[in-house]
Amino acid sequence: MTEFEENQVENGTESMEQALESFQEVKIGDVVNGEVLAIEDKQVIVGIEGAGVEGVVPAKELTANPTDDLSDIVKVGDVLALVVISSIGKDKENGSYLLSKRRLDAKKVWADIEEDFKAGKLIEAEVTNVVKGGLVVDLGVRGFVPASMVEDHFVSDFSSYKGQTLKFKIIEIEPSENRLILSHKAVVEQEKTAQKEEALSKLHEGDVVEGKVARLTDFGAFIDLGGIDGLVHVSEIAHYHVNKPQDVLKSGDTVKVKILSINPEKERISLSIKATQAGPWEDIEEKAPVGAVLDGVVKRLTSFGAFVELFPGVEGLVHISQISHNHIATPHEVLHEGDEVKVKVLEVKPEERRIGLSIKALEEKPKSEEAEVEVEETYEMPEESTGFSMGDILGDQLKDLDKE
């Protein structure tokens, strides 16, 4: 061998040694760049840059969906950031390594989620599955939403949530255990609180606004005013007596209400429907003029007379002396609650909300009375303090004494 050839061999050996020395050592946990050399059915072969060795990326370490076509995800020549999971094939020349893209991506995702958690930020994620205990979401890592943290109300079937993208609050995070607990309920409550504050800022006592009947109870109706509910007590539903709110209202009805009072601290709003409606006593002199004959229903009986409802919220009094031409000791002798009767209007006092009525004025007088000298009768409304006067108490008894 010539001196030149010896120099060439020596220089070649030195170059190879230098090249080998320039290759970095690959360790488990290292983050490396891998150039895609080949795409196989269930794995991708890469060349680890700067190491002079190859690595394998199994399909499950490349994508979360095992049914994905790997050629749609990467192409030959692509350079991927990968993390070294373990070494394989030590018997092979230069060795080979098992690599993962998903785990490296997850590491970054966990870091981002931790930052969001510390900052109190809300995150968005798609619900990928519905399980017995709640919802599973995908953030690049698996998140879990317990059933009790899905909504602020009971939900019997969560199937409709699959595929939805929702906002969540991070409740608990532990990357080392792949534990991520999320809450959609907390987001709903937060949004409702903001809506309530905004709605309250726009409402004032005395305002007349529109709302929708949200729910009904025995004591009243809750009205949605656009983010906050107000209560219409059963006594404020109508000018007439309402036994149950369900008798006149149903959920979903749109109603006009007047704001009676607001308590921002307790988030309580008192409302009235009847305050937005014309009172039953308005124009009563036109609806029930003196001399008019009207139909009514006996609502209450007392010792001194019968209260008859003429219109919703309007009752008039038939004094005992105006019930019958025959002498009666109590109204109960001839009338019963719920009886339908015809009455004649004798007197109307709108300012006092009082109407005097007569039943006997519409009935024929007995023949024995017709033979007697007719005396013009005058009607005087019973005293408001007692409901009737002394003359009303004694009634026909005074007349009988005068005859004697």
Side-chain angles (χ1 to χ4, degrees):
M1 181 180 295
T2 64
E3 183 178 350
F4 173 75
E5 290 174 332
E6 289 177 353
N7 289 335
Q8 285 292 95
V9 171
E10 185 178 344
N11 291 336
T13 302
E14 290 177 357
S15 298
M16 186 176 294
E17 290 175 352
Q18 290 174 355
L20 288 173
E21 289 177 358
S22 67
F23 286 140
Q24 64 185 34
E25 183 181 356
V26 178
K27 298 177 181 178
I28 295 173
D30 283 352
V31 175
V32 299
N33 289 327
E35 181 182 352
V36 178
L37 304 177
I39 301 173
E40 299 177 356
D41 184 30
K42 295 184 178 180
Q43 62 183 20
V44 171
I45 309 301
V46 300
I48 300 176
E49 292 185 352
V53 294
E54 294 180 357
V56 176
V57 185
K60 68 177 182 179
E61 297 296 340
L62 186 65
T63 173
N65 191 345
T67 61
D68 288 344
D69 187 341
L70 299 185
S71 60
D72 292 336
I73 301 172
V74 295
K75 305 294 182 186
V76 173
D78 287 351
V79 176
L80 308 176
L82 307 163
V83 63
V84 180
I85 300 174
S86 64
S87 60
I88 57 175
K90 284 296 185 179
D91 56 331
K92 294 184 179 180
E93 185 179 356
N94 296 326
S96 190
Y97 296 88
L98 189 65
L99 309 170
S100 175
K101 180 177 184 298
R102 283 190 63 203
R103 299 191 193 190
L104 184 62
D105 292 342
K107 186 177 180 180
K108 183 179 184 305
V109 170
W110 279 114
D112 292 341
I113 293 175
E114 282 190 290
E115 287 299 318
D116 291 338
F117 179 58
K118 291 175 182 176
K121 290 184 179 179
L122 301 180
I123 59 176
E124 284 192 356
E126 180 184 350
V127 178
T128 57
N129 201 7
V130 176
V131 296
K132 185 177 181 180
L135 308 177
V136 176
V137 302
D138 181 23
L139 284 157
V141 296
R142 182 183 184 276
F144 181 64
V145 187
S148 61
M149 296 185 185
V150 176
E151 294 290 355
D152 64 344
H153 57 271
F154 176 73
V155 178
S156 59
D157 183 9
F158 292 111
S159 58
S160 63
Y161 286 81
K162 187 173 181 179
Q164 289 191 43
T165 297
L166 303 173
K167 285 184 178 180
F168 299 97
K169 180 179 180 179
I170 303 167
I171 303 300
E172 186 178 342
I173 181 172
E174 185 51 65
S176 63
E177 298 178 6
N178 287 327
R179 181 178 176 82
L180 177 61
I181 305 299
L182 306 171
S183 173
H184 178 61
K185 174 183 176 180
V187 177
V188 172
E189 292 176 337
Q190 187 173 316
E191 289 175 348
K192 284 187 175 181
T193 298
Q195 288 175 351
K196 283 182 180 180
E197 291 176 354
E198 183 179 359
L200 274 171
S201 68
K202 296 178 180 178
L203 300 175
H204 306 89
E205 290 185 13
D207 287 352
V208 174
V209 297
E210 276 196 352
K212 282 193 175 183
V213 178
R215 63 187 188 280
L216 299 169
T217 68
D218 289 340
F219 57 83
F222 286 93
I223 311 299
D224 181 2
L225 300 177
I228 191 169
D229 288 353
L231 174 65
V232 178
H233 189 266
V234 65
S235 63
E236 291 294 333
I237 291 177
H239 289 285
Y240 54 89
H241 177 70
V242 176
N243 286 320
K244 292 183 179 180
Q246 293 88 338
D247 294 340
V248 292
L249 297 171
K250 62 180 183 296
S251 293
D253 282 352
T254 298
V255 293
K256 272 190 176 180
V257 293
K258 182 176 182 179
I259 300 174
L260 302 180
S261 65
I262 300 176
N263 187 326
E265 291 75 23
K266 295 184 178 180
E267 295 183 352
R268 289 181 182 173
I269 303 176
S270 296
L271 307 172
S272 174
I273 294 176
K274 76 178 184 182
T276 67
Q277 301 170 343
W281 287 86
E282 289 186 23
D283 303 323
I284 192 63
E285 288 178 299
E286 295 179 12
K287 295 186 291 184
V290 173
V293 177
L294 304 172
D295 291 321
V297 177
V298 177
K299 287 294 184 180
R300 291 176 291 140
L301 294 173
T302 68
S303 60
F304 57 86
F307 287 92
V308 177
E309 184 180 59
L310 302 176
F311 309 101
V314 176
E315 292 182 359
L317 173 65
V318 180
H319 188 262
I320 188 171
S321 63
Q322 294 296 324
I323 291 177
S324 174
H325 289 289
N326 299 318
H327 174 73
I328 57 174
T330 68
H332 299 77
E333 292 180 26
V334 293
L335 295 175
H336 306 86
E337 290 184 5
D339 284 352
E340 295 182 1
V341 294
K342 279 190 179 296
V343 293
K344 183 177 181 180
V345 179
L346 301 180
E347 187 176 10
V348 181
K349 292 186 176 181
E351 66 283 356
E352 298 176 20
R353 296 192 172 189
R354 302 174 75 196
I355 300 178
L357 305 172
S358 175
I359 293 176
K360 78 176 187 179
L362 301 176
E363 299 175 346
E364 287 188 26
K365 293 182 179 180
K367 290 183 179 181
S368 59
E369 289 189 18
E370 290 178 357
E372 297 176 0
V373 179
E374 292 188 2
V375 178
E376 184 178 352
E377 291 186 12
T378 58
Y379 179 81
E380 183 179 345
M381 191 83 75
E383 297 297 328
E384 185 175 8
S385 60
T386 62
F388 48 92
S389 65
M390 287 300 295
D392 296 322
I393 295 173
L394 298 176
D396 292 337
Q397 295 177 21
L398 289 175
K399 293 180 182 177
D400 293 337
L401 289 173
D402 291 338
K403 290 178 183 178
E404 293 176 358

